[in-house]
Amino acid sequence: MNRARGDEEEYWHSSKFRAFTFDDEDDELSQLKESKRAVNSLRDIVDDDDDDLERVSWSGEPVGSISWSIKETASGSTSSLEGRDSSLQKGSSSYAALPKQVSSYSLSSLFKGRNKLPSFQSLSDALTDTGVKNYAPELRRPKAEYKDYSSDWSPKDTVRRMQRGKVCSLERFRSLQDKLVLLDEAVAGHDGNVITAVLIFLKRTLRREILFRELEVRQVALCHLIHFLRETGEQKLLLDLLRFLDRTEEVALSQYREHLNIQDVEKRREFLKGCIGLPFSAEDTSHIQDHYTLLERQIIIEANDRHLEMAGQSELFRKYPRKASILNMPLVTTLFYSCFYHYTEAEGTFSSPTNLKKTFKIPDKQYVLTALAARAKLRAWDDVDALLTTKNWLGYTKKKAPIGFHRVVEMLQRNNAPVQVLQEYVRLVEDVETRLNLATKYKCHDVVIETYRDLKDRIQLTAYKSKVERGSAEEEKINSILNN
Amino acid sequence: REDRGRSPQRDFHILFVPRRSLLCEQWLKEQGVLGSFIHREQYSLDLIPFDGDLLSMESESAFKECYLESDQTSLYHAAKGLMTLQALYGTIPQIFGKGDCARHVANMMIRMKREFPGSQNSIFPVFDTLLLLDRNVDLLTPLATQLTYEGLIDEIYGIQNTYVKLPPEKFAPKKQGEGGKDLPTEPKKLQLNSAEELYAEIRDKNFNAVGSVLSKKAKIISAAFEERHHAKTVGEIKQFVSQLPHMQAARSSLANHTSIAELIKDITTSEDFFDNLTVEQEFMSGIDTDKVNNYIEDCIAQKHPLIKILRLVCLQSVCNSGLKQKVLDHYKREILQTYGYEHILTLNNLEKAGLLKPQTSGRNNYPTIRKTLRLWMDDVNEQNPNDISYVYSGYAPLSVRLAQLLARPGWRSIEEVLKMLPGPHFEERQQLPTGLQKKRQHGENRVTLVFFLGGVTYAEIAALRFLSQMEDGGTEYVIATTKLINGTTWIKSLMEKLEPTPF
């Protein structure tokens, strides 16, 4: 197994790398400096031929070689502290231990720029201390040393060491008491990583009820676990925990969140249906209900419309082919779609706008605005007019808009409404200056003329004459006003 | 894994920056590739210097973690960062703070000091005071649109690690006689920091004051270039040539910033920007914060970007100490109907963070806070400001006011108001070894390190710099934070991720 040991000894002893030592001093500044230096010298190391390492482990792999190191790491062998035997048990090691490997392979030791003030020297180091450290001392240490070593750490010290990113096995904390002390120590240390590490260990080794019960009185640890479960997507355990804590609304929301992961529409619809009964707040319950109902409708509309589109009979669908499916779109978008493709349908059908308005209690303002946008896009000016006309109780009609008329004008203009149509609404713009601006911009001559007439502004009116065509009706109109 | 199959000779290493996370390793392990990495290490970066007076941890999730998930790990790292800072620049003798997170960080600092007595060093303290502030003490400021030059660049284009990417059209080099050349399609990337003289001069100014600086500069540079006609002797020519690189750099800097200013001006003169700002200022000065706002409704109806809507409704909520239930329900319904029901999750987060919530106590504290701390100043002077309210053209950032009042006359004068703001306020002293206790000379400024836990905006930084250079201010400020933010990135970090996770 050990071949050419002599050569290798020389190699190790002449190595300029520092060995891994169980230091308690962590000078991050020097670490940074070391790592900087190390990175710069990286080039040399990488080119190093590993053929010198001829030592072979019991598994056949040359010791110290890259493949050996991979194997070691893969088997989660933080276990060097527990002695070599446990490395045979592949799954048993507590992955809670941060695997900043004890096995300091050539590259890893580069970054371990420590040893400013070594407070603890390994036994072998002390013996061979010549200022040039051994390369991989843990390969040489007697097993006994590991055993003594590992059982010495108290919960407090274990947490300390983990905070520094050192290897720690938590397996020996067997009793519930010990585990709780460990957890409390971790919480007191404030390092989230350590707390999470301990929690992973506890999650694996404690019965659920006990874990929940103990966490209920430990707020900080509890929050960490919840965060952890969210991040790793352990939905079931998270929900159980939240239910245990009676955080019903959170249970509801967490469960609702899951719907985002369901791509298939039918499944999503089923899932949403199931969400309705969950303990949301009163307001939220109605929203969830609406979400389900909306998706249900959309599925029906989508199926229908796709059919229509394929059949090719509908002129509307031929002229304005759908760019996207209506599934999972917001309500207002669905309303726009419905006003676009299904405007004239009676209230009874699922796809009619009025049905949507009624089912989802869409306020008038929103409804009119959306319908306006849809009909304007289709250049259905009559529909637009109808939307803007209200009849009062005497039967008189009046033009009214939920937004200022200047907005209506802009919307119509964007859709290339003819001047006659635009003119109607420019006339209704309340603010005179805005009205003049828009009228001039869009060449609504009559409105300009009328406005100047109302303002009794002869000068502007005369000036405007130059903007109209010679001999046109508008010119005549101006002249007749000016002459009165 | 695929990679490994392809090139078995390759070694894979992974370097976690700024720190390794157990979750990450867990996931890697589950994917079965953890063992493929030869080496896993972390390269600790706690506080990163962004400029001579600015440090950031660039921890995007710090606010969300601390206030939504009660996970205070980032505070632990803030404390560690502060310990490193103290190791380099001396123990900070006085610590003031406001907020739960601030209290926590201070406690950790004191404890860390106790546990490492050997770290007592003999460095003369550079900082006199440390002020720790929770972001949630001032939820208002990040929501408002910043109006400083740098603030606007960040709001509109987003500054990432002192770099900004801009639309290239205005930066195409103009060559004489060549029209219609192919415009570059790659966005123009510029670095922005105080090493650039012109930028240092204009970055913290209110945008409306930038134009005059640029035109003055243009005259100076033109005149400088004209000098070449006056240089007659060889000596003069030589002198001119030696200054040429500097002048060219100044000219190119001026050209860049003139282009940027034009881009920004296009936005700030738009109707929408004006309407938005008007509503913001109405809320901040306390007008009509208890009703549904028409402009917001219109924006929802026109389906403006959701984050813009959220900023406005949250601003209204904060300026009203929470919205009346009816108003809140109305906004929520409109938002969900227009943008989708799945946004219930985001709205829930915003409520949890205190940004968009129902009014619980039935009374609105904001007017008192506003009046006592003089947060709204009507007579703001944008060109030659005399008060920090210039950074928002009228609104003085609450957080910076607190810092200002701490220095002078001290927080005792605002006890009542402090109690209305969330979290405890406190003072701690750290022992300095004898001999290091500094007696400030008359006229020498104190140095205060202000640490924003949860994020800070460029406008707040500008306001603090303004205080630093005030003639008889008495204090110079250095700023540290968990992250540089603006309203958009901040709200975004609180939004629920709606795409299914790739994992």
Side-chain angles (χ1 to χ4, degrees), chain B residues 262-371:
Chain B
E262 277 174 13
L263 287 168
I264 294 180
K265 204 169 177 85
D266 285 338
I267 309 254
T268 57
T269 47
S270 71
E271 193 179 327
D272 193 57
F273 185 87
F274 178 77
D275 290 337
N276 193 71
L277 190 61
T278 307
V279 169
E280 283 185 6
Q281 297 203 326
E282 276 173 11
F283 288 158
M284 292 193 284
S285 48
I287 299 174
D288 281 346
T289 55
D290 55 350
K291 324 190 172 68
V292 171
N293 181 283
N294 271 335
Y295 175 72
I296 297 180
E297 273 200 314
D298 280 350
C299 288
I300 297 178
Q302 292 173 59
K303 219 167 172 186
H304 283 204
L306 180 57
I307 292 190
K308 171 185 167 160
I309 308 293
L310 292 176
R311 275 177 85 165
L312 284 171
V313 296
C314 289
L315 185 61
Q316 186 177 355
S317 171
V318 172
C319 290
N320 202 51
S321 300
L323 294 172
K324 286 215 274 277
Q325 192 66 53
K326 260 179 74 181
V327 174
L328 181 60
D329 288 340
H330 184 92
Y331 280 141
K332 271 170 113 164
R333 182 165 276 271
E334 287 200 331
I335 290 173
L336 295 174
Q337 285 185 341
T338 310
Y339 298 97
Y341 291 105
E342 57 273 16
H343 293 285
I344 279 187
L345 301 164
T346 297
L347 293 177
N348 188 336
N349 286 350
L350 292 176
E351 182 169 343
K352 227 169 160 188
L355 285 163
L356 180 62
K357 55 174 205 195
Q359 205 178 59
T360 41
S361 58
R363 55 164 296 169
N364 181 5
N365 278 331
Y366 178 67
T368 313
I369 299 173
R370 189 186 75 239
K371 286 185 198 124

Side-chain angles (χ1 to χ4, degrees), chain A residues 28-29 32 35 66 70 73-74 95 98-101 107-108 111 160 163-164 188-193 196-197 200 223-224 227-228 231-232 253 256-257 259-261 263 283-284 286-288 290-291 294 330-333 360 363 365-366 369 403 407, chain B residues 4 11 13 15 20-23 25-26 29 35 38-41 43-44 46 65 69-73 76-77 80 84 88 104 108 111 115-116 294 297-298 301-303 329 332-333 336-342 344-345 348 352 496-498 500-501:
Chain A
E28 292 195 318
L29 281 172
L32 263 145
S35 62
I66 302 301
I70 294 170
T73 321
Y95 48 78
L98 301 171
K100 187 164 177 169
Q101 278 306 335
L107 293 160
S108 59
F111 295 89
R160 273 289 173 73
Q163 279 185 327
R164 294 206 182 80
H190 301 301
D191 187 342
N193 237 7
T196 308
I200 293 175
C223 291
H224 271 271
H227 186 191
F228 172 73
E231 289 290 316
T232 53
L253 284 166
Y256 173 70
R257 187 183 283 112
H259 87 272
L260 296 166
N261 293 332
Q263 297 300 347
E283 262 301 306
D284 285 348
S286 74
H287 293 309
I288 305 294
D290 283 347
H291 191 177
L294 181 62
L331 175 62
V332 170
T333 313
F360 296 100
K365 184 171 167 181
Q366 180 72 72
L369 272 172
I403 47 173
R407 283 276 193 71
Chain B
R4 176 140 219 108
D11 298 336
H13 308 278
L15 209 54
R20 96 208 292 156
S21 115
L22 204 61
L23 282 178
E25 294 190 335
Q26 267 287 83
K29 192 179 184 101
I38 306 294
H39 183 68
R40 293 181 303 278
E41 251 299 352
Y43 187 74
S44 302
D46 278 321
E65 284 174 9
E69 287 152 9
S70 305
D71 175 348
Q72 298 183 316
T73 311
Y76 172 73
H77 292 292
K80 277 183 70 187
T84 309
L88 291 169
H104 190 61
M108 284 194 283
R111 192 183 129 158
E115 288 175 358
F116 299 106
N294 271 335
E297 273 200 314
D298 280 350
Q302 292 173 59
K303 219 167 172 186
D329 288 340
K332 271 170 113 164
R333 182 165 276 271
L336 295 174
Q337 285 185 341
T338 310
Y339 298 97
Y341 291 105
E342 57 273 16
I344 279 187
L345 301 164
N348 188 336
K352 227 169 160 188
E496 203 61 43
K497 291 182 207 26
L498 295 179
T501 51

Side-chain angles (χ1 to χ4, degrees), chain B residues 29 47 67 86 92 108 110 112 118 132 154 173 227 236 267 281 301 341 369 397 400 409 416 476:
Chain B
K29 192 179 184 101
L47 283 167
Y67 295 101
Q86 288 188 105
I92 305 175
M108 284 194 283
I110 294 174
M112 283 177 189
L132 296 161
D154 189 33
E227 279 296 305
E236 281 173 3
I267 309 254
Q281 297 203 326
Y341 291 105
I369 299 173
V400 180
E416 281 306 308
E476 268 178 47

Side-chain angles (χ1 to χ4, degrees), chain B residues 100-157:
Chain B
D100 288 314
C101 297
R103 179 76 260 181
H104 190 61
V105 170
N107 288 345
M108 284 194 283
M109 281 175 72
I110 294 174
R111 192 183 129 158
M112 283 177 189
K113 196 151 191 73
R114 212 173 38 226
E115 288 175 358
F116 299 106
S119 61
Q120 192 69 269
N121 51 38
S122 50
I123 301 177
F124 224 47
V126 168
F127 298 107
D128 296 286
T129 314
L130 167 65
L131 171 58
L132 296 161
L133 281 177
D134 275 32
R135 183 71 262 173
N136 78 338
V137 167
D138 174 11
L139 291 172
L140 207 174
T141 305
L143 294 170
T145 305
Q146 301 169 68
L147 297 174
T148 59
Y149 181 62
E150 187 167 36
L152 275 167
I153 298 179
D154 189 33
E155 292 269 349
I156 302 172
Y157 296 107

